[in-house]
Amino acid sequence: MCGIVGYIGPKKAVPILIEGLSKLEYRGYDSAGVAIVNNGKIEIEKCKGRLSALEERLKANPIDGSLGIGHTRWATHGEPSDVNSHPHSNKDFTISVVHNGIIENYLKLKEWLISLGYEFKTETDTEVVPHLIDYFYDGDIVKATMQAVSKIEGSYALGIVCSKEPDKLIAVRKDSPLIVGKGNGENFIASDIPAVLPYTRDVYLLDNREMAVLTKDNVEIYTIEGLKVNKEVFHVTWDAASAEKGGYEHFMIKEIHEQPKAIKDTMTSRLMPGVDEIKLDDIKLTKEDLQNINKIYIVACGTAYHAGMVGKYVIERLAKVPVEVDVASEFRYRNPLINKNTLMIVISQSGETADTLAALRLGKENGARVIAVTNVVGSSVAREATDVLYTWAGPEIAVASTKAYVTQLIAMYIIALYLGRLNGNVSDEEFRLIRDEMLKLPEKAEHLLEQKETIQKFAAMHYVHKDMFYIGRGLDFAVALEGALKIKEISYIHAEAYAAGELKHGPIALIDKGVPVIALATQDELFEKMLSNIKEVVARGAHVISFAFEGNDDISKVSDAVVYLPKTLSILAPVLSVIPLQLLAYYTAVERGCDVDKPRNLAKSVTVE
Ligand code: F6R
């Protein structure tokens, strides 16, 4: 998730681009850059680091010119570095491009372009775009862009300038956001509305497969096939602060709503319809390597640890290799049995958590192979691990992790299927069943988000309580732990998660009249047992909200409220069932007037032991 901006008009482009990028830094902040068309040439300044680093460089080397594009990056392909920063250009620096999204077929395109003599300087997927446009360019940048994008698979929002046509700024989008700001004698493009709000409140919201051609006085919109589109101007009435959160009140609720896309992006190019294998460019583990592995440790902290609990279950189930899951701060001090036959999987959104990093180092010192699952390209765990599997959630701003967690779950399924295919424990039939259901998860998550009113009502009734209980069996227990953590950290309600079968061994003594109990019942083979556990707490006066798949209507007879999840395989249920639990934590915290995005005593990244 990167941020892009563009300007064409009579003013100096650089200050406008920098101002716009500053409003988009929440979309990414590992590097930034601009390309300005100046006196028939394109001049570029770009560097690794926050936007302030770019500003310093531009102060030292100012660039004139009133047509330009800018970018703030959140790396996906290629680590954060000066050379991988956008804009990217063709060989002669006559065409420059900024991109947000993932180009799925870039390797194939890159090989083809190399065979034609094109030279690549970066590790990015984006660099294929200026070369492709260059290949098709015969004096018409609009036509060349249309031809180039017809070859691209994946998601993109692109901003393009060409020094040979200094009166045009081009914008194209598919599955990544892009808007056009309509000014007076000047026009703008941006990933998001806040970037243009200081200059205009009139915008065009580009739809998928649309392209805008901007001059300083005019905006024309076409489909990428070249058909003219008549688009209504959207007049923005929000203030700048809420526009940054996409109109949501908090980053957390925005990020909860970004989950369908985050799930889809994390599966992109790894799990594909009709393809009977998992494609993992960054994991080089061979069949022989796997044969020598007799134990897997999953090590992480907090929410990432909860994702690891799901990982243990699914890897043991699908790949049939024994897995232990450990909290990183404990792992280091219990002398774990690690050797060259150990595979470690460390999970960390930030990639900088001190305990997780120390566990990784301990693993490597003792000969283990380490796979890092992280959301930050080039982070410490990514650099130090043997292999990396990136979750493509985009930057997570709210302290409470939501979209990073669901993408960590997807990473766990991907690793489990990968290992299971490698050692022959996942048959073609089982693989296809799980793959096809996984590919439907984004749509189902979207559908689930539409039911948020039920949760909001439950939160409005129960936000005054001091204690809450979360119960579930099997995978539902792992999700219950995550649900309880969410409510603790942002609403400061004491919450406990229990394996439902354990209740009668002690915790049931805490259940009293009106105590809210959140019951997860998504595991088909454990459903009847969960009904009995729910009845046990209802008999003691609990107020129960249950989560079950559509069609399991019996649960409504024993619950005060039910949230029905779109049906999927029990093994995939965590990806869906966690969403209403995140919403419950969110709405409860809002009712209690808590600082949702910055809960007390917590930091986004814990870089101390
Ligand atoms: C909870 C939360 C934390 C993190 C934990 C690990 O919402 O965000 O529990 O999951 O601090 O952080 P990372 O994943 O960055 O290692």
Side-chain angles (χ1 to χ4, degrees), residues 353-394:
T353 299
D355 286 317
T356 309
L357 194 53
L360 179 159
R361 288 175 182 155
L362 179 72
K364 287 200 81 178
E365 272 161 32
N366 287 282
R369 181 178 189 121
V370 184
I371 300 179
V373 172
T374 180
N375 197 35
V376 182
V377 175
S379 58
S380 300
V381 303
R383 279 185 276 115
E384 295 193 27
T386 328
D387 307 282
V388 190
L389 179 63
Y390 288 112
T391 52
W392 287 331

Short mmCIF file of all heavy atoms in Angstrom, two decimals, residues 353-394:
data_model
loop_
_atom_site.label_atom_id
_atom_site.label_comp_id
_atom_site.label_asym_id
_atom_site.label_seq_id
_atom_site.Cartn_x
_atom_site.Cartn_y
_atom_site.Cartn_z
N THR A 353 10.03 -6.62 16.66
CA THR A 353 9.78 -6.93 18.06
C THR A 353 11.02 -7.60 18.68
O THR A 353 11.49 -8.63 18.18
CB THR A 353 8.53 -7.83 18.17
OG1 THR A 353 7.44 -7.10 17.62
CG2 THR A 353 8.23 -8.22 19.60
N ALA A 354 11.51 -6.99 19.77
CA ALA A 354 12.81 -7.41 20.32
C ALA A 354 12.80 -8.89 20.71
O ALA A 354 13.75 -9.62 20.39
CB ALA A 354 13.14 -6.54 21.53
N ASP A 355 11.76 -9.36 21.39
CA ASP A 355 11.75 -10.75 21.84
C ASP A 355 11.72 -11.72 20.66
O ASP A 355 12.38 -12.77 20.68
CB ASP A 355 10.53 -10.99 22.74
CG ASP A 355 10.71 -10.35 24.11
OD1 ASP A 355 11.81 -10.47 24.67
OD2 ASP A 355 9.75 -9.74 24.61
N THR A 356 10.95 -11.37 19.63
CA THR A 356 10.83 -12.27 18.47
C THR A 356 12.17 -12.33 17.73
O THR A 356 12.61 -13.40 17.30
CB THR A 356 9.70 -11.75 17.54
OG1 THR A 356 8.54 -11.55 18.33
CG2 THR A 356 9.41 -12.73 16.42
N LEU A 357 12.80 -11.18 17.63
CA LEU A 357 14.10 -11.11 16.96
C LEU A 357 15.14 -11.93 17.73
O LEU A 357 15.94 -12.67 17.14
CB LEU A 357 14.51 -9.64 16.87
CG LEU A 357 15.65 -9.26 15.94
CD1 LEU A 357 15.40 -9.77 14.53
CD2 LEU A 357 15.79 -7.74 15.92
N ALA A 358 15.10 -11.83 19.06
CA ALA A 358 16.07 -12.58 19.87
C ALA A 358 15.81 -14.09 19.72
O ALA A 358 16.76 -14.87 19.64
CB ALA A 358 15.95 -12.16 21.33
N ALA A 359 14.55 -14.49 19.64
CA ALA A 359 14.22 -15.91 19.46
C ALA A 359 14.74 -16.39 18.11
O ALA A 359 15.31 -17.49 17.99
CB ALA A 359 12.71 -16.12 19.57
N LEU A 360 14.57 -15.56 17.10
CA LEU A 360 15.06 -15.90 15.76
C LEU A 360 16.58 -16.13 15.80
O LEU A 360 17.10 -17.12 15.27
CB LEU A 360 14.70 -14.76 14.81
CG LEU A 360 15.09 -14.81 13.33
CD1 LEU A 360 14.19 -13.87 12.54
CD2 LEU A 360 16.52 -14.45 13.05
N ARG A 361 17.27 -15.21 16.48
CA ARG A 361 18.75 -15.31 16.54
C ARG A 361 19.16 -16.58 17.27
O ARG A 361 20.09 -17.28 16.86
CB ARG A 361 19.34 -14.07 17.21
CG ARG A 361 19.24 -12.87 16.28
CD ARG A 361 19.71 -11.60 16.94
NE ARG A 361 19.54 -10.47 16.02
CZ ARG A 361 19.40 -9.22 16.39
NH1 ARG A 361 19.40 -8.89 17.68
NH2 ARG A 361 19.25 -8.25 15.50
N LEU A 362 18.44 -16.89 18.35
CA LEU A 362 18.74 -18.11 19.12
C LEU A 362 18.57 -19.33 18.21
O LEU A 362 19.41 -20.25 18.19
CB LEU A 362 17.78 -18.20 20.32
CG LEU A 362 17.95 -19.42 21.20
CD1 LEU A 362 19.23 -19.31 22.01
CD2 LEU A 362 16.75 -19.55 22.17
N GLY A 363 17.47 -19.32 17.44
CA GLY A 363 17.22 -20.43 16.50
C GLY A 363 18.36 -20.58 15.51
O GLY A 363 18.89 -21.67 15.31
N LYS A 364 18.78 -19.48 14.92
CA LYS A 364 19.83 -19.56 13.91
C LYS A 364 21.16 -20.01 14.50
O LYS A 364 21.87 -20.83 13.92
CB LYS A 364 19.98 -18.21 13.20
CG LYS A 364 18.81 -17.97 12.25
CD LYS A 364 19.10 -16.94 11.20
CE LYS A 364 19.89 -17.55 10.05
NZ LYS A 364 20.15 -16.55 9.01
N GLU A 365 21.46 -19.48 15.71
CA GLU A 365 22.72 -19.88 16.37
C GLU A 365 22.78 -21.40 16.58
O GLU A 365 23.83 -22.01 16.54
CB GLU A 365 22.80 -19.25 17.76
CG GLU A 365 23.43 -17.86 17.79
CD GLU A 365 23.05 -17.13 19.07
OE1 GLU A 365 22.87 -17.80 20.13
OE2 GLU A 365 22.88 -15.91 18.97
N ASN A 366 21.62 -21.99 16.79
CA ASN A 366 21.58 -23.43 17.04
C ASN A 366 21.31 -24.26 15.78
O ASN A 366 20.98 -25.43 15.86
CB ASN A 366 20.54 -23.74 18.12
CG ASN A 366 21.02 -23.30 19.48
OD1 ASN A 366 21.82 -23.97 20.11
ND2 ASN A 366 20.57 -22.12 19.90
N GLY A 367 21.39 -23.61 14.64
CA GLY A 367 21.35 -24.35 13.38
C GLY A 367 19.98 -24.47 12.73
O GLY A 367 19.83 -25.13 11.70
N ALA A 368 18.96 -23.84 13.32
CA ALA A 368 17.61 -23.98 12.75
C ALA A 368 17.49 -23.15 11.47
O ALA A 368 18.16 -22.14 11.30
CB ALA A 368 16.57 -23.52 13.76
N ARG A 369 16.62 -23.60 10.60
CA ARG A 369 16.24 -22.79 9.45
C ARG A 369 15.05 -21.94 9.90
O ARG A 369 14.14 -22.44 10.57
CB ARG A 369 15.81 -23.74 8.34
CG ARG A 369 15.41 -23.03 7.10
CD ARG A 369 15.03 -24.02 6.01
NE ARG A 369 14.88 -23.25 4.80
CZ ARG A 369 15.57 -23.45 3.70
NH1 ARG A 369 16.43 -24.43 3.63
NH2 ARG A 369 15.38 -22.69 2.64
N VAL A 370 15.05 -20.66 9.55
CA VAL A 370 14.00 -19.77 10.07
C VAL A 370 13.22 -19.11 8.93
O VAL A 370 13.81 -18.47 8.05
CB VAL A 370 14.58 -18.65 10.97
CG1 VAL A 370 13.45 -17.81 11.57
CG2 VAL A 370 15.44 -19.24 12.07
N ILE A 371 11.91 -19.29 8.96
CA ILE A 371 11.04 -18.57 8.03
C ILE A 371 10.43 -17.40 8.79
O ILE A 371 9.85 -17.59 9.86
CB ILE A 371 9.88 -19.46 7.50
CG1 ILE A 371 10.42 -20.68 6.76
CG2 ILE A 371 8.94 -18.65 6.61
CD1 ILE A 371 9.34 -21.63 6.23
N ALA A 372 10.56 -16.18 8.26
CA ALA A 372 9.92 -15.02 8.90
C ALA A 372 8.62 -14.71 8.17
O ALA A 372 8.59 -14.68 6.94
CB ALA A 372 10.83 -13.81 8.82
N VAL A 373 7.57 -14.52 8.94
CA VAL A 373 6.30 -14.04 8.37
C VAL A 373 6.15 -12.61 8.88
O VAL A 373 6.00 -12.39 10.09
CB VAL A 373 5.12 -14.91 8.84
CG1 VAL A 373 3.79 -14.31 8.42
CG2 VAL A 373 5.27 -16.33 8.29
N THR A 374 6.27 -11.64 8.01
CA THR A 374 6.24 -10.25 8.46
C THR A 374 5.56 -9.35 7.44
O THR A 374 5.45 -9.69 6.26
CB THR A 374 7.66 -9.73 8.78
OG1 THR A 374 7.58 -8.38 9.22
CG2 THR A 374 8.59 -9.80 7.59
N ASN A 375 5.14 -8.19 7.93
CA ASN A 375 4.41 -7.24 7.09
C ASN A 375 5.31 -6.13 6.57
O ASN A 375 4.88 -5.31 5.79
CB ASN A 375 3.27 -6.63 7.94
CG ASN A 375 2.21 -5.97 7.09
OD1 ASN A 375 1.90 -6.44 5.99
ND2 ASN A 375 1.65 -4.88 7.57
N VAL A 376 6.55 -6.10 7.07
CA VAL A 376 7.42 -4.97 6.71
C VAL A 376 8.64 -5.47 5.94
O VAL A 376 9.52 -6.15 6.50
CB VAL A 376 7.84 -4.17 7.96
CG1 VAL A 376 8.70 -2.97 7.56
CG2 VAL A 376 6.61 -3.68 8.71
N VAL A 377 8.66 -5.12 4.67
CA VAL A 377 9.77 -5.55 3.81
C VAL A 377 11.07 -4.90 4.30
O VAL A 377 11.10 -3.72 4.63
CB VAL A 377 9.49 -5.16 2.34
CG1 VAL A 377 10.69 -5.49 1.45
CG2 VAL A 377 8.25 -5.89 1.84
N GLY A 378 12.10 -5.73 4.41
CA GLY A 378 13.40 -5.21 4.83
C GLY A 378 13.52 -5.00 6.33
O GLY A 378 14.51 -4.46 6.81
N SER A 379 12.50 -5.44 7.10
CA SER A 379 12.57 -5.31 8.57
C SER A 379 13.64 -6.25 9.10
O SER A 379 14.15 -7.13 8.38
CB SER A 379 11.22 -5.62 9.19
OG SER A 379 10.83 -6.93 8.82
N SER A 380 13.96 -6.11 10.40
CA SER A 380 15.06 -6.91 10.94
C SER A 380 14.80 -8.41 10.82
O SER A 380 15.68 -9.17 10.42
CB SER A 380 15.29 -6.55 12.41
OG SER A 380 15.61 -5.19 12.50
N VAL A 381 13.59 -8.87 11.14
CA VAL A 381 13.36 -10.32 11.04
C VAL A 381 13.45 -10.78 9.59
O VAL A 381 13.94 -11.87 9.31
CB VAL A 381 12.03 -10.80 11.70
CG1 VAL A 381 11.91 -10.43 13.15
CG2 VAL A 381 10.81 -10.39 10.93
N ALA A 382 13.00 -9.93 8.67
CA ALA A 382 13.07 -10.30 7.26
C ALA A 382 14.52 -10.45 6.81
O ALA A 382 14.88 -11.36 6.06
CB ALA A 382 12.36 -9.26 6.40
N ARG A 383 15.36 -9.56 7.31
CA ARG A 383 16.76 -9.58 6.88
C ARG A 383 17.52 -10.75 7.49
O ARG A 383 18.37 -11.35 6.86
CB ARG A 383 17.45 -8.26 7.23
CG ARG A 383 17.14 -7.18 6.19
CD ARG A 383 17.88 -5.91 6.43
NE ARG A 383 17.17 -5.08 7.38
CZ ARG A 383 17.61 -4.74 8.58
NH1 ARG A 383 18.78 -5.13 8.99
NH2 ARG A 383 16.90 -4.00 9.40
N GLU A 384 17.16 -11.11 8.73
CA GLU A 384 17.96 -12.12 9.42
C GLU A 384 17.46 -13.55 9.21
O GLU A 384 18.19 -14.50 9.47
CB GLU A 384 18.01 -11.77 10.91
CG GLU A 384 18.75 -10.46 11.13
CD GLU A 384 19.13 -10.22 12.58
OE1 GLU A 384 19.31 -11.18 13.34
OE2 GLU A 384 19.26 -9.03 12.94
N ALA A 385 16.22 -13.71 8.76
CA ALA A 385 15.68 -15.07 8.60
C ALA A 385 16.27 -15.74 7.36
O ALA A 385 16.84 -15.08 6.49
CB ALA A 385 14.17 -15.00 8.48
N THR A 386 16.11 -17.08 7.29
CA THR A 386 16.58 -17.79 6.10
C THR A 386 15.64 -17.51 4.93
O THR A 386 16.07 -17.30 3.80
CB THR A 386 16.58 -19.32 6.38
OG1 THR A 386 16.86 -19.57 7.74
CG2 THR A 386 17.55 -20.05 5.48
N ASP A 387 14.35 -17.55 5.19
CA ASP A 387 13.34 -17.31 4.16
C ASP A 387 12.30 -16.33 4.71
O ASP A 387 12.12 -16.25 5.92
CB ASP A 387 12.59 -18.60 3.80
CG ASP A 387 13.50 -19.75 3.44
OD1 ASP A 387 13.99 -19.76 2.32
OD2 ASP A 387 13.70 -20.63 4.30
N VAL A 388 11.62 -15.66 3.80
CA VAL A 388 10.59 -14.68 4.25
C VAL A 388 9.29 -14.91 3.49
O VAL A 388 9.30 -15.13 2.29
CB VAL A 388 11.02 -13.22 3.95
CG1 VAL A 388 10.07 -12.24 4.63
CG2 VAL A 388 12.42 -12.96 4.37
N LEU A 389 8.20 -14.83 4.22
CA LEU A 389 6.89 -14.79 3.57
C LEU A 389 6.23 -13.49 4.02
O LEU A 389 5.91 -13.33 5.20
CB LEU A 389 6.04 -16.00 4.01
CG LEU A 389 4.65 -16.07 3.41
CD1 LEU A 389 4.72 -16.22 1.89
CD2 LEU A 389 3.87 -17.24 3.97
N TYR A 390 6.08 -12.56 3.10
CA TYR A 390 5.48 -11.28 3.48
C TYR A 390 3.97 -11.36 3.50
O TYR A 390 3.36 -11.97 2.61
CB TYR A 390 5.91 -10.17 2.50
CG TYR A 390 7.36 -9.78 2.67
CD1 TYR A 390 8.31 -10.05 1.69
CD2 TYR A 390 7.77 -9.14 3.84
CE1 TYR A 390 9.64 -9.70 1.86
CE2 TYR A 390 9.10 -8.79 4.03
CZ TYR A 390 10.03 -9.07 3.04
OH TYR A 390 11.34 -8.72 3.22
N THR A 391 3.39 -10.73 4.52
CA THR A 391 1.94 -10.53 4.53
C THR A 391 1.73 -9.18 3.88
O THR A 391 2.43 -8.23 4.21
CB THR A 391 1.42 -10.49 5.97
OG1 THR A 391 2.16 -9.53 6.71
CG2 THR A 391 1.53 -11.84 6.65
N TRP A 392 0.82 -9.10 2.98
CA TRP A 392 0.64 -7.83 2.28
C TRP A 392 -0.60 -7.11 2.81
O TRP A 392 -1.58 -6.92 2.10
CB TRP A 392 0.60 -8.08 0.76
CG TRP A 392 1.96 -8.41 0.22
CD1 TRP A 392 3.16 -7.98 0.73
CD2 TRP A 392 2.29 -9.23 -0.90
NE1 TRP A 392 4.21 -8.49 -0.03
CE2 TRP A 392 3.70 -9.25 -1.03
CE3 TRP A 392 1.53 -9.95 -1.83
CZ2 TRP A 392 4.35 -9.96 -2.03
CZ3 TRP A 392 2.18 -10.65 -2.83
CH2 TRP A 392 3.58 -10.66 -2.93
N ALA A 393 -0.51 -6.71 4.09
CA ALA A 393 -1.63 -6.01 4.72
C ALA A 393 -1.54 -4.51 4.50
O ALA A 393 -2.51 -3.80 4.73
CB ALA A 393 -1.64 -6.31 6.22
N GLY A 394 -0.39 -4.01 4.09
CA GLY A 394 -0.20 -2.56 4.04
C GLY A 394 0.07 -2.06 5.45
O GLY A 394 -0.10 -2.80 6.42
#
